């Protein structure tokens, strides 16, 4: 629960606040774009909710915050908050759900659920929560867990054990889930089912991959965001967040142009719906922007520190190769900074 004694600096006074446990994952802003904004190292309440819709969205953000960093000082809202929990998992369309209950272990990334007659799927892992376990049981269990990349495995193992589900992960990111049942490799498309395509998209990490369902839903992991919260263009996350290679990621985006889809469902960032043609045009523009990126491998102290933090997190989660890779990256950035004086 968020602590009113630890309110982060910059919150606008009112019923809701963000405290200093915030890890700046941005999920609150994805869910309530009018009311949250980044300020320094934290997201804060930039505007207290003023309409019913804003109130609903801020409560959604409160429920889905991976750290429980969003709180309220208004006891009268507690009943409403308890009721709102029943909104999750949230149906997106047809048989695809946003699960909510984002996990801090995957830096607050979103995870999804697909109900399918030949076996249900989870994409990346939320917190292991009794509410989600019950939801999955009521929807026919869980047969497949697709892991987009090493950063977002969270509690996938617990879900796999509980439901005897098969976990899919790319060989290059296997260290994050060594006992995964299905391991694919290379950059060729892997078809586990007629309606599901696994598309390796290296760049953000070496094993980053996307899942395309029914030529409609693209579960896009950590490559794309939408450029701002008022505009629907697609952008790749800035080079700062590209942990393997911007060039590789750009090639991956170019390969995506041969696929059709209407929904882009990212791990971090806003959900996007477009017609297939509109999506393709937006993707072409995104590709062109990536190809023209002037600073594809930023050499800054902030990025070296980001790699230090990844190394620490990777070590703590037993991903030793990833920890070594991140430390080496941090060291090489520092060397370049020193040589530039
Ligand atoms: S969802 Fe929670 S942890 Fe993530 S940015 Fe918002 S307040 Fe911070
Ligand atoms: Fe990631």
């Amino acid at each position: 629960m968020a602590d009113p004694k630890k309110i982060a600096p910059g919150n606008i006074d009112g019923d809701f606040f963000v405290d200093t446990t915030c890890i700046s994952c941005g999920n609150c802003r994805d869910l309530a774009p009018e009311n949250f904004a980044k300020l320094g190292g934290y997201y804060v309440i930039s505007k207290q909710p003023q309409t019913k819709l804003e109130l609903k969205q801020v409560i959604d953000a409160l429920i889905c915050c991976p750290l429980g960093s969003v709180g309220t000082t208004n006891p009268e809202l507690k009943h409403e908050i308890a009721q709102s929990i029943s909104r999750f998992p949230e149906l997106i369309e047809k048989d695809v759900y946003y699960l909510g209950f984002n996990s801090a272990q995957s830096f607050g990334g979103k995870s999804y659920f697909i109900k399918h007659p030949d076996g249900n799927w989870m994409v990346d892992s939320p917190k292991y929560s009794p509410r989600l376990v019950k939801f999955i049981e009521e929807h026919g269990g869980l047969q497949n867990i697709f892991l987009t990349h090493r950063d977002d495995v969270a509690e996938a193992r617990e879900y796999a054990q509980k439901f005897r589900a098969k976990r899919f992960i790319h060989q290059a990111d296997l260290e994050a889930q060594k006992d995964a049942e299905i391991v694919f490799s290379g950059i060729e498309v892997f078809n586990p089912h007629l309606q599901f395509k696994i598309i390796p998209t290296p760049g953000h990490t070496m094993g980053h991959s996307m899942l395309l369902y029914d030529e409609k839903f693209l579960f896009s992991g950590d490559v794309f965001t939408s450029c701002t919260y008022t505009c629907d263009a697609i952008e790749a996350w800035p080079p700062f967040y590209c942990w393997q290679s911007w060039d590789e990621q750009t090639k991956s985006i170019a390969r995506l142009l041969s696929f059709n889809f209407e929904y882009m469902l990212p791990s971090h960032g806003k959900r996007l719906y477009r017609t297939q043609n509109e999506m393709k045009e937006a993707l072409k523009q995104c590709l062109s922007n990536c190809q023209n990126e002037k600073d594809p491998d930023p050499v800054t102290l902030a990025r070296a520190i980001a790699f230090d933090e990844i190394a620490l997190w990777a070590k703590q989660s037993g991903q030793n190769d990833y920890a070594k890779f991140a430390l080496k990256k941090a060291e090489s950035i520092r060397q370049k900074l020193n040589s530039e004086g």
Side-chain angles (χ1 to χ4, degrees), residues 31 60 63-64 84-90 98-101 131:
L31 299 177
D60 286 352
I63 291 164
C64 293
S84 303
I85 292 176
S86 62
R87 278 203 292 272
F88 291 94
E90 176 200 7
Y98 161 46
L99 282 170
F101 301 92
R131 178 172 177 80

Side-chain angles (χ1 to χ4, degrees), residues 18 21-29 36 43 61 65-67 69-70:
V18 176
T21 58
C22 167
I23 56 170
S24 205
C25 70
N27 196 51
C28 51
R29 193 175 180 199
F36 289 87
Y43 275 76
C65 172
L67 272 292
S69 312
V70 183

Side-chain angles (χ1 to χ4, degrees), residues 111-220:
S111 43
Y112 302 93
F113 181 81
I114 306 159
K115 183 167 164 51
H116 194 277
D118 296 338
N120 297 337
W121 288 72
M122 179 188 272
V123 180
D124 290 331
S125 168
K127 282 179 193 158
Y128 189 78
S129 122
R131 178 172 177 80
L132 291 181
V133 167
K134 187 162 175 276
F135 168 85
I136 293 167
E137 282 170 348
E138 287 169 357
H139 287 74
L142 182 63
Q143 287 72 36
N144 307 289
I145 301 174
F146 174 71
L147 299 169
T148 56
H149 67 299
R150 64 190 327 151
D151 299 340
D152 289 358
V153 301
E155 284 146 89
R157 184 170 289 112
E158 284 82 347
Y159 280 104
Q161 284 168 357
K162 168 76 185 167
F163 291 102
R164 298 180 180 220
K166 289 178 290 196
R167 287 158 293 170
F168 293 70
I169 193 165
H170 193 283
Q171 169 80 44
D173 278 13
L174 182 59
E175 204 199 344
Q177 198 79 174
K178 284 180 180 149
D179 50 351
E181 289 74 15
I182 312 269
V183 182
F184 51 94
S185 58
I187 57 164
E188 293 306 312
V189 173
F190 175 56
N191 293 288
H193 182 280
L194 268 180
Q195 281 182 293
F196 291 87
K197 285 187 172 75
I198 291 175
I199 309 167
T201 45
H204 172 69
T205 65
M206 272 185 271
H208 190 284
S209 304
M210 299 184 190
L211 181 70
L212 178 60
Y213 168 48
D214 209 19
E215 299 218 324
K216 181 160 184 169
F217 302 91
L218 182 73
F219 300 91
S220 57

